[in-house]
Amino acid sequence: MGFIDQLKALFTPPAGNRDPMAAWLYVKCARCGSPLAVRVDLRNEPSIDYESGGYVLNKEMMDSKCFTLMHAQLQFDARHNIVGKTIDQGAFITKEEYDAMTK
């Protein structure tokens, strides 16, 4: 194992130790079809929604092909489960669709 590999191992979490307070959004640009994976930190990014008792998140994302700005709004319940989502200039896709598009 080289020095670079050892350095990577220090900063890469084990595969089974996923952060439960993180969510991944998989989106596809409506203009060019480029897939994008975006990590959401559930501890810091959502804001409290006093009307529903849950949380709301406004997320702006940009793909690296045509640089279209996509805007997503997600609603969460009190336990940070997604209960609603909308997106402008893009479409939500599944992780499996994202994996197939990026291979």
Side-chain angles (χ1 to χ4, degrees):
M1 180 183 277
F3 175 73
I4 299 295
D5 293 330
Q6 290 176 347
L7 193 58
K8 282 182 190 177
L10 283 174
F11 294 103
T12 305
N17 191 9
R18 301 281 185 215
D19 186 0
M21 291 305 292
W24 284 91
L25 301 178
Y26 299 98
V27 298
K28 177 175 72 169
C29 176
R31 185 172 173 199
C32 68
S34 180
L36 187 65
V38 179
R39 183 183 184 275
V40 175
D41 183 355
L42 297 176
R43 288 181 209 94
N44 298 310
E45 292 189 64
S47 300
I48 296 174
D49 184 9
Y50 292 105
E51 291 179 13
S52 70
Y55 298 90
V56 65
L57 171 68
N58 290 301
K59 188 78 168 175
E60 291 186 339
M61 305 157 282
M62 184 179 292
D63 70 90
S64 61
K65 188 173 182 182
C66 70
F67 304 107
T68 297
L69 185 63
M70 295 171 269
H71 175 82
Q73 183 177 43
L74 287 85
Q75 293 85 27
F76 298 89
D77 63 10
R79 294 183 174 208
H80 290 95
N81 297 314
I82 297 174
V83 294
K85 57 186 177 181
T86 60
I87 189 167
D88 295 327
Q89 302 296 322
F92 290 105
I93 59 175
T94 64
K95 181 179 180 347
E96 291 77 23
E97 291 172 320
Y98 174 80
D99 290 340
M101 294 172 81
T102 55
K103 287 186 179 180

